[in-house]
Amino acid sequence: MTVIERVRIGRGGSGRGGTGSGGPAARAAQDLLRVARLFAVTGRVAGPAVGAAVRHRVAGRRQEAARTLYHAAPVLLARLGATFIKAGQVLATRRDILPPALCDQLGTLHDDVPATSAAHTARMLREAYGDDLHVLFPHVELTPVAAGSIACVHRAVDQQGRTVALKIRRPNIDRLMARDLRLMRRGAALAARLPAFAGLPVTEIVGQMCDAVAGQVDFRAEADSLHRLRHNLSGVARVWVPAVRQELCRDTVIAMEFIEDLDGDARSVAPVMRKKFAESALISIYHMLFVDGFVHCDMHPGNLNFTPRGQVVVLDAGFSVQLTDRLRRLFAEFFMNMAVGRGTRCAEIVVESATGLSPTADVDGFLERMADLVRRNHGLPAKEFSLMGFATEMFDLQRNHGVHAAPELIFPLLSLLVIEGTIRELHPGIDFQETAKPVINRGLWSAQRPGTGRN
């Protein structure tokens, strides 16, 4: 079961100036009020869990204490609101720095929130389009077809008679999230000074998370990302990214083609079709990773849908990462060497791509154990190979030996891990390593395609 957010997004005020108006003194007062509310909610939700965890620790049940806290984490984040839900979703991918059991719990965080009221939706549309609203859209359904913590999606008809999807940002959500992210950064800066966090890149980790969350409120950037993904994946069979109607987009609205009959669960279709879905979804991720280097990093099941005509539909590109050409090639080389069992070279690539080493790093030990990990997994039958298990062990080795992974590689890799379960359900026998080989070859040896945005 997923954790359900029951927080009313507009709690900070529904007026234009409800979350960020006034000078520095007013903003400081608002920050203090927000901190007080966050602490109050944290005390009510986390207090019982912390008490139970302490009792487990006193009794010598360390694992039970950890499980108690991990179970409480997504409940707390859901109660704290949209910014913290998004932050938890990003942190759920950081298996390179967080315990896998905690990441599993954070992975249950999904947007499932009450829809924006019709009055608020109408107001946001008027603010976005002004007097042109009814000219551009003769018909808009104020009841959304989907509701998330940042935006709701509405069906509309444009002046050419085309059915379009309007992703409309919730009122004031940008200001509320900007304030929460500012407080998170300040909290991280204070935490980094504490002895308990000595030697840990707390501010860097929180900064990366905040950047990822902030990007999901920038609708102009997301529209551009969707357009790029549509172009980049146009040659991948059975993959469909909705076309963006750039002339109809605004700062708070993304307009795109409306795709009918989307289904997030393809398990009910014929086995042959399920296999095609799995292959197309996997190849699309590989194409992002190895060929274009522009990667959709939020490929959870809600953003990966299917149509009765056999297409895989990729949605919501607000959390995307552009790899440098060097990192893209290293990524491709790593997977190629893993597929042929060259463990030593795989280990060397991880070190080459690392952002740094801890003062006590054991590089030789890491190289030896990483090479062994690749050798143990090479040649396993497809049904026995687990990409998640492989990555989790690799991250453990990096943490234990002081090799700091580059976040530019971690986020894209974990986009693949996120959909491994979905792909396995559709096609249990799919071979992740063999499927990757032809795409890796294109990425390593083909000429750079114009317009991909690589650097």
Side-chain angles (χ1 to χ4, degrees), residues 365-383:
F366 173 78
L367 291 171
E368 178 183 349
R369 288 169 177 77
M370 184 68 210
D372 177 66
L373 172 62
V374 173
R375 286 192 291 269
R376 284 189 281 111
N377 282 271
H378 174 63
L380 284 178
K383 290 184 178 180

Side-chain angles (χ1 to χ4, degrees), residues 291-359:
V291 178
D292 298 309
F294 185 68
V295 188
H296 187 311
C297 295
D298 196 19
M299 292 283 278
H300 62 75
N303 290 338
L304 193 67
N305 289 265
F306 312 93
T307 73
R309 296 178 297 281
Q311 289 133 324
V312 175
V313 180
V314 179
L315 302 173
D316 289 354
F319 182 15
S320 300
V321 169
Q322 174 65 60
L323 301 178
T324 65
D325 199 54
R326 172 181 173 273
L327 286 178
R328 179 191 62 82
R329 290 187 64 85
L330 284 175
F331 213 125
E333 287 180 24
F334 177 87
F335 269 79
M336 178 59 79
N337 282 282
M338 185 175 78
V340 297
R342 296 174 185 151
T344 300
R345 180 54 187 150
C346 284
E348 292 170 349
I349 290 172
V350 174
V351 174
E352 286 177 32
S353 65
T355 56
L357 304 172
S358 70

Side-chain angles (χ1 to χ4, degrees), residues 163-225:
T163 302
V164 296
L166 298 180
K167 183 176 178 180
I168 305 171
R169 206 166 66 190
R170 287 181 180 269
N172 293 321
I173 193 64
D174 56 332
R175 297 181 183 182
L176 175 62
M177 294 184 76
R179 181 179 62 194
D180 285 347
L181 294 174
R182 184 170 67 248
L183 294 176
M184 288 182 191
R185 292 180 192 272
R186 290 177 181 172
L190 292 174
R193 299 177 184 178
L194 300 176
F197 297 101
L200 295 177
V202 176
T203 54
E204 291 84 351
I205 293 167
V206 173
Q208 293 157 8
M209 177 200 70
C210 290
D211 290 342
V213 172
Q216 298 182 55
V217 191
D218 186 344
F219 277 18
R220 290 288 188 180
E222 182 177 348
D224 290 342
S225 295

Side-chain angles (χ1 to χ4, degrees), residues 56-75:
H56 286 308
R57 286 294 297 268
V58 170
R61 298 188 295 268
R62 298 174 63 91
Q63 291 185 344
E64 188 63 29
R67 277 195 295 269
T68 299
L69 294 176
Y70 295 165
H71 278 284
V75 178

Side-chain angles (χ1 to χ4, degrees), residues 29 79 111 142 145 205-206 230 249 254 275 344 428 433 442:
R79 292 288 300 276
D111 296 332
L142 294 181
V145 297
I205 293 167
V206 173
R230 181 177 172 85
C249 291
I254 301 174
K275 289 183 179 180
T344 300
Q433 298 185 59
R442 286 202 299 275

Side-chain angles (χ1 to χ4, degrees), residues 388-437:
M388 180 66 78
F390 178 91
T392 298
E393 190 170 346
M394 181 179 75
F395 295 150
D396 284 342
L397 289 175
Q398 288 179 273
R399 280 195 301 269
N400 294 337
H401 291 82
V403 178
H404 302 314
E408 295 89 349
L409 288 183
I410 293 300
F411 285 136
L413 172 60
L414 290 164
S415 70
L416 178 57
L417 301 184
V418 165
I419 67 166
E420 181 183 17
T422 300
I423 291 173
R424 291 286 190 200
E425 284 187 11
L426 295 172
H427 187 357
I430 194 167
D431 192 321
F432 277 70
Q433 298 185 59
E434 284 299 315
T435 304
K437 285 181 181 178

